[in-house]
Amino acid sequence: MGLITITSDWGVNDHYSAAVKNKIYTYFPEAKIVEITHHVPAFDIGKAAYFLRNVYPHSPNGTVHIIGVNTIADKKSAHLIVSYCNQFFVGTDNGVFSLLFPKGEDPSGVYEIMEMQDHDSFTFPSRDLFAKIAARLASGIHPEELGKPTQILNHITPSLPIIRQEKTFDTQASYTEIVGEVTYIDRYENVNTNIHQSLFNEWKSKFRHFEIFYGSNDSVDKISTAYSDVGIANPLALFASDGFLQISMNQSKAASLLGIRKSTPIIVRFRN
């Protein structure tokens, strides 16, 4: 397809993104470039994986993804090409690859890049190495020609919700809670969490009632399917397009108006 995406922490006020794009065009003038975001917090590979996870499932076969976050290689963190679902991911083995793919689904190929950089300085691999590799992959060159087979060495365990139960004297659970956390607050101030719909449905099938707490006493007791299900500036809970629970307000700013921050726990309580 010749499609290359870029996810980085460079921001938009410096020359970095332009330098990388121009380098890609030098090697492959027919490339089509999609800039996912350059606003990943500095060195935050968790956020980089979050943004890319929400894009690559909707990308055509053959797409190449440059991960321009925390890119400097060392003896324990090699530069890799990772093949998954007929797409290629180019980045550094710093843990980001372990956060990209569903649990239990391994990449079909992992290759340590053996190509030389285009510059004697090793401070900008995205321009001096990744751009060239991505251009060659997008033009149809196989990863076996650019690197040697290896494996992902650095793994990070993503933060998962905690299941907490309150039991009565007869050992029956009086209620069960999913205790999740805020993963990302977007520009609309929608509050995204790490509670997936599949986990919610698993526990919901065992209880008659549920309530979702997003503050000390604030809660909602139903799942909406659209923001317009409630009145303007009213809070709601729904499962976003990525399948994770989101706390929002219809045409308003949930995070600031509801007092939700990165440290705010999101609790789903089930009871009979």
Side-chain angles (χ1 to χ4, degrees), residues 246-258:
Q246 183 184 95
I247 307 299
S248 306
M249 295 183 79
N250 182 14
Q251 299 183 41
S252 198
K253 299 178 178 181
S256 57
L257 292 176
L258 299 176

Side-chain angles (χ1 to χ4, degrees), residues 178 193 195-201 204 209-214 219-230 235-240 243-248 266-270:
I178 301 174
T193 79
I195 301 174
H196 197 270
Q197 187 172 10
S198 59
L199 180 63
F200 174 86
N201 289 341
K204 183 176 180 294
H209 307 284
F210 71 87
E211 198 167 2
I212 300 171
F213 294 89
Y214 48 83
S219 66
V220 294
D221 59 4
K222 71 174 184 176
I223 297 293
S224 298
T225 57
Y227 301 112
S228 58
D229 286 352
V230 300
L236 70 146
L238 52 70
F239 288 101
F244 286 89
L245 183 67
Q246 183 184 95
I247 307 299
S248 306
I266 306 298
I267 300 173
V268 184
R269 179 177 296 169
F270 300 94

Side-chain angles (χ1 to χ4, degrees), residues 55-91:
V55 173
Y56 80 75
H58 312 290
S59 303
N61 289 346
T63 299
V64 183
H65 305 280
I66 293 176
I67 308 170
V69 178
N70 196 19
T71 56
I72 305 303
D74 55 35
K75 292 181 180 180
K76 297 181 180 180
S77 304
H79 290 143
L80 301 181
I81 301 168
V82 175
S83 177
Y84 176 78
C85 283
N86 299 311
Q87 298 181 47
F88 302 104
F89 300 79
V90 181

